[in-house]
Structures are given as structure tokens and as C-alpha cells.
């Protein structure tokens, strides 16, 4: 009797030396949590994990969930049988197509199995050729590779294909970062990229209600929810910039609007980061994409914070960013129409090359600068995703 199982491979954790247990345990916890509402059994062997005893109708869900667990490099749906060679042959025939070229690739972690890997390759290959005469062997570039995995627990797994998953490092092993999450295309991708390296995320969204709509805020919540598929327990903090923007609008030169708003954003972000155990700020800036993302603009906004600011998209083109957004499922939501707080009181000619001296001179016109920041932070709304 054979059954289907899902084999899970992890990648880079191998490099982690003495810390490997820590990374592996986090990965196991994350897999357990992700599959917690699907009836199945999990086996965590050395170098490979197996999901067993699930209902066939849940198989796609199991695979889809695992695609959302960072640290999982790839999965394969395999047929499981016992050590009996006839049973292995029978199963191999059910897995293999009738035509084309193939090779058998056996791996034996149970070293006492009576056939070694080479013998399994040859003997199983021969049986397949006898039963399916339109197949031929090609050891170098076959159409199909039949993997045979002889495990120590009495199981043998047969499978052909591997499904690529997200890869990266287990979520929760890379510190915590504060993601500046707008409703646009870029910032969810920026968050995804650091979460993929194991960083836990807290998200921060700025709005200018009622200049920006309730729907614009909802959009950020929806994006955080999509990110939440990869980032368990992500929280979204929403801050109003309305009063700050009104004040800048009244007291400063119009073309400094965006630069000044962004410096407020960064100052608020640094405070929120400190209050939420975040060791860095993450944003979706890409060099030269808009006026606020020139080297000069970034220098001026970066100058108000001490925390490291990670910009994983800095060297990427828009089409490369969109490709990732589509892959992770945020793109469709991101292109829904919405207003961003950065578009409120938008000047006709935003500064492309601001200087710190001139920006500070504009800021000095705002007498209640710190009080504005305090008020914005006091009124933060937290949304649990
Ligand atoms: P995105 O597509 O992420 O909105 P963008 O190309 O529109 O980016 P900007 O509006 O200049 O670029 O914003 C640059 C970065 O600043 C964003 O990627 C995001 O990290 C942050 N940011 C912008 N607006 C907001 C906002 N309303 N709330 C939180 N962060 C924001
Ligand atoms: Mg934006």
C-alpha cells in the first residue's frame, strides 16, 4: 500500500555550524504553525522533513502553505512504500511516464539496505525498461529523473519533481525591522525581501485622513495581511500625518513639502521602532525612481535617524520589483487606485537635490516640531493582522 507524502528540503541552514539547531528549531516551529489546522503528521529527520498522513484533498493546501515558510527551499510530492523491492518497482512504474528518457537516482541513508545506490539505480532502471519499452536511459540530460530515497525508518520515497519554494532563512531568526508600508508596489516587496532573510516585521503606515480616504488605510491593512502569509503575527501601526502636513503647508516653502514630510516620517519611525523592539527601518526606495529617491534626497531623510535603514530595492528596476510583487501576491492589491499621504499638498516642483542646511532652515520655522511628533505617536492605531 502506497501513500503520498510531501518531502521538505531546506537550504542554507547547512551553513550555520553550531547555530544550526537554533535555525532548524525555528524552521520546525514555523512549519508546525503553518500546518496546524491541516490534519497531518510531521516527521523531522536529519536534513529532510516529511509531511505524512494528510487527506489527498489537502495536498495542494499543504504545498501552498509550505511555499509561504521561509527556509523551505523546495518540496516534492512522493510516493511512499516499504523496503520490499517488488513494491518499489511497482511504485516506480506508476510514477514514470511511458515515453522519453530517464535515469534513476537513488539515495540510501539506510546503509544496511541489501542494495547499494548504484545497484538500485541499475536494477530499478532495468525493470522500468522492461515494462516500458518506449523509455530509454540517458544519464546526462534525461527528461525525467526518478529519485528513490531509502530512509532509515523503513520508508522508501519515490518522486520525480521538486517544487521551488521561497527559500531564505526561517522567519524570526533575523531580528526585527520596522517596515514603512505604503499602499504602493514597492514597500511590500521590500518587506518580503528582509522577511525572507529571517527578519520579523512590524509595519508602519502613514495616512492623512481625511485628505486620504479610509479605503487607502484599508489597502495597507490588506497588504499587511498578504505579507502576513509569510510573516506570522505581523502588526500594522497606523499614524496620522494630517496635522504635520497642514503645519508644513502653512509654514514652509511648498517645494520642501515632500522632503520635510519624509524627515518627519523617519523621526516617527525611529521612535516607533524603539518602542517595538525593531533594530532597523525598512523602506521600498529605489535609486532615482522619484524626486525623493535621489542620493541627495535620501541623504537628507536618512540624516535624522541613527538606526540602520535597509532599502532592499535600491538597485532594482520597477519591472524587477513588479515581478516579485506578482510572485508574492501583493501586486494586484498594490495597483488598486488609492491616494498616498505623500500626494497630499504635492508641490508642482519637488526638490530633487535638497541640502541639509536649507532643509533645516525650513524645519526651524516649525516651532512645535517635537510636539507634533509626540501627538502623532500618541494617536497610533495598532491593527492585528
Ligand atoms: P511604494 O510603491 O512602496 O509606495 P513609491 O515608489 O511610491 O513606493 P515613495 O512614495 O517615494 O515611493 O515612498 C518611498 C518609500 O517610503 C516607500 O517604499 C515606503 O517604504 C515609504 N512610504 C511612502 N509612503 C508611505 C506611507 N504612506 N506609509 C508608510 N511608508 C511610506
Ligand atoms: Mg508610494
Amino acid at each position: 500500500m502506497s501513500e503520498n507524502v510531501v518531502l521538505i528540503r531546506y537550504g542554507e541552514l547547512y551553513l550555520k555550524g553550531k547555530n544550526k539547531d537554533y535555525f532548524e528549531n525555528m524552521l520546525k516551529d514555523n512549519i508546525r504553525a503553518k500546518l496546524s489546522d491541516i490534519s497531518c503528521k510531521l516527521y523531522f529527520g536529519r536534513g529532510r522533513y516529511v509531511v505524512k498522513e494528510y487527506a489527498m484533498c489537502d495536498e495542494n493546501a499543504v504545498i501552498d502553505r509550505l511555499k509561504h515558510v521561509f527556509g523551505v527551499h523546495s518540496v516534492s510530492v512522493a510516493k511512499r512504500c516499504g523496503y520490499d523491492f517488488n513494491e518499489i518497482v511497482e511504485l516506480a512504474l506508476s510514477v514514470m511516464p511511458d515515453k522519453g528518457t530517464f535515469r534513476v537516482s537513488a539515495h540510501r541513508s539506510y546503509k544496511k539496505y541489501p542494495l547499494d545506490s548504484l545497484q538500485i539505480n541499475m536494477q530499478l532502471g532495468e525493470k522500468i525498461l522492461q515494462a516500458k519499452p518506449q523509455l530509454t536511459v540517458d544519464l546526462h540530460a534525461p527528461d525525467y529523473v526518478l529519485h528513490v530515497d531509502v530512509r532509515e525508518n523503513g520508508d522508501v520515497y519515490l518522486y520525480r519533481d521538486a517544487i521551488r519554494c521561497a527559500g531564505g532563512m526561517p522567519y524570526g531568526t533575523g531580528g526585527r525591522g520596522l517596515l514603512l508600508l505604503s499602499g504602493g508596489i514597492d514597500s511590500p516587496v521590500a518587506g518580503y525581501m528582509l522577511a525572507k532573510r529571517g527578519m520579523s516585521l512590524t509595519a508602519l503606515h502613514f495616512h492623512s485622513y481625511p485628505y486620504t480616504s479610509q479605503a487607502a488605510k484599508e489597502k495597507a491593512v490588506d497588504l499587511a495581511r498578504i505579507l502576513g502569509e509569510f510573516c506570522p503575527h505581523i502588526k500594522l501601526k497606523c499614524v496620522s500625518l494630517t496635522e504635520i502636513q497642514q503645519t508644513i503647508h502653512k509654514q514652509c516653502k511648498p517645494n520642501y513639502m515632500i522632503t520635510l514630510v519624509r524627515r518627519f516620517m523617519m523621526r516617527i519611525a525611529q521612535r516607533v521602532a524603539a518602542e517595538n523592539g525593531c533594530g532597523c527601518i525598512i523602506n521600498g526606495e529605489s535609486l532615482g525612481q522619484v524626486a525623493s529617491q535621489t542620493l541627495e534626497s535620501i541623504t537628507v531623510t536618512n540624516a535624522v535617524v541613527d538606526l540602520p535603514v535597509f532599502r532592499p530595492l535600491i538597485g532594482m528596476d520597477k519591472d524587477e520589483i513588479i515581478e516579485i510583487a506578482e510572485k508574492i501576491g501583493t501586486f494586484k492589491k498594490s495597483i488598486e487606485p488609492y491616494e498616498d499621504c505623500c500626494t497630499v499638498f504635492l508641490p508642482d516642483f519637488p526638490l530633487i537635490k535638497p541640502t541639509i542646511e536649507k532643509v533645516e532652515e525650513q524645519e526651524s520655522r516649525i516651532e512645535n516640531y517635537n510636539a507634533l511628533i509626540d501627538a502623532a505617536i500618541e494617536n497610533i492605531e495598532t491593527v492585528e493582522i
Side-chain angles (χ1 to χ4, degrees):
M1 250 282 284
S2 79
E3 85 176 298
N4 278 17
V5 300
V6 176
L7 306 181
I8 303 172
R9 288 174 213 90
Y10 52 80
E12 225 178 296
L13 307 196
Y14 282 121
L15 302 176
K16 291 295 153 212
K18 282 187 188 144
N19 288 330
K20 203 177 139 195
D21 281 354
Y22 168 70
F23 287 89
E24 273 208 56
N25 287 335
M26 192 66 95
L27 180 58
K28 289 178 199 171
D29 286 349
N30 292 350
I31 291 173
R32 267 190 217 105
K34 200 74 191 163
L35 299 178
S36 62
D37 61 341
I38 295 179
S39 165
C40 62
K41 289 225 168 82
L42 280 164
Y43 291 87
F44 296 113
R46 229 180 322 126
R48 179 160 297 177
Y49 305 155
V50 186
V51 190
K52 283 184 180 178
E53 297 176 44
Y54 53 80
M56 274 308 285
C57 60
D58 285 336
E59 188 165 275
N60 287 337
V62 169
I63 294 166
D64 185 63
R65 298 287 180 89
L66 292 169
K67 282 184 180 170
H68 289 87
V69 179
F70 293 124
V72 174
H73 176 267
S74 65
V75 299
S76 292
V77 176
K79 300 267 179 206
R80 184 190 74 86
C81 66
Y83 286 163
D84 176 22
F85 192 69
N86 292 328
E87 212 185 334
I88 296 175
V89 172
E90 200 180 308
L91 213 51
L93 295 178
S94 77
V95 170
M96 290 306 288
D98 292 330
K99 276 192 249 177
T101 61
F102 80 102
R103 117 181 120 85
V104 179
S105 169
H107 175 82
R108 207 179 50 136
S109 48
Y110 178 57
K111 300 293 178 202
K112 291 187 191 138
Y113 193 71
L115 303 176
D116 67 21
S117 305
L118 200 62
Q119 287 168 324
I120 297 173
N121 291 347
M122 294 195 4
Q123 294 189 22
L124 189 55
E126 230 169 83
K127 294 281 185 194
I128 293 171
L129 285 174
Q130 280 166 13
K132 299 188 183 243
Q134 295 200 59
L135 277 173
T136 51
V137 171
D138 179 346
L139 295 182
H140 304 291
D143 302 330
Y144 308 100
V145 179
L146 175 65
H147 296 272
V148 181
D149 206 348
V150 183
R151 310 296 297 178
E152 275 159 347
N153 63 349
D155 280 354
V156 177
Y157 303 129
L158 286 90
Y159 61 95
R160 267 178 24 200
D161 308 312
I163 303 164
R164 263 312 285 264
C165 295
M169 304 295 290
Y171 189 73
T173 57
R176 177 170 291 277
L178 184 71
L179 170 65
L180 303 193
L181 182 66
S182 69
I185 295 168
D186 304 331
S187 45
V189 174
Y192 170 85
M193 288 182 69
L194 280 152
K196 181 157 106 77
R197 297 305 302 165
M199 184 172 280
S200 303
L201 301 183
T202 298
L204 178 62
H205 175 70
F206 296 101
H207 63 84
S208 319
Y209 187 79
Y211 297 106
T212 57
S213 63
Q214 191 60 28
K217 209 161 89 183
E218 286 302 321
K219 193 178 176 197
V221 175
D222 290 343
L223 285 170
R225 193 165 287 132
I226 299 170
L227 278 181
E229 296 285 329
F230 297 94
C231 310
H233 314 298
I234 190 170
K235 276 186 198 142
L236 176 68
K237 310 256 166 194
C238 296
V239 175
S240 169
L241 285 179
T242 312
E243 209 187 335
I244 288 172
Q245 288 181 290
Q246 285 168 334
T247 309
I248 298 172
H249 184 61
K250 261 187 246 147
Q251 300 180 5
C252 308
K253 278 193 188 162
N255 57 340
Y256 279 81
M257 185 74 193
I258 291 179
T259 311
L260 296 177
V261 169
R262 297 196 73 81
R263 278 164 65 98
F264 266 106
M265 280 182 168
M266 292 300 263
R267 286 194 162 103
I268 292 170
Q270 174 137 297
R271 290 257 306 262
V272 175
E275 284 167 19
N276 290 276
C278 301
C280 69
I281 296 168
I282 305 159
N283 73 29
E285 287 171 333
S286 157
L287 190 65
Q289 198 188 73
V290 287
S292 60
Q293 296 175 26
T294 61
L295 176 59
E296 291 81 359
S297 294
I298 291 175
T299 303
V300 167
T301 48
N302 204 88
V304 299
V305 293
D306 309 315
L307 282 182
V309 179
F310 292 147
R311 300 175 177 84
L313 313 186
I314 197 70
M316 288 173 72
D317 293 350
K318 197 76 185 187
D319 58 345
E320 294 169 315
I321 299 169
I322 288 175
E323 203 176 300
I324 301 176
E326 282 177 331
K327 190 180 81 184
I328 66 176
T330 53
F331 183 66
K332 268 199 196 138
K333 178 54 67 179
S334 290
I335 57 173
E336 285 178 10
Y338 84 112
E339 332 78 42
D340 187 57
C341 63
C342 293
T343 59
V344 175
F345 303 122
L346 196 65
D348 292 336
F349 300 102
L351 286 183
I352 292 172
K353 298 188 173 189
T355 63
I356 296 215
E357 298 72 37
K358 288 187 178 155
V359 170
E360 283 177 349
E361 192 271 310
Q362 290 296 312
E363 268 173 0
S364 68
R365 302 179 182 194
I366 304 172
E367 275 167 24
N368 56 341
Y369 199 102
N370 289 324
L372 284 169
I373 292 179
D374 291 341
I377 288 177
E378 231 161 77
N379 292 312
I380 274 187
E381 258 177 274
T382 302
V383 187
E384 306 268 349
I385 304 294

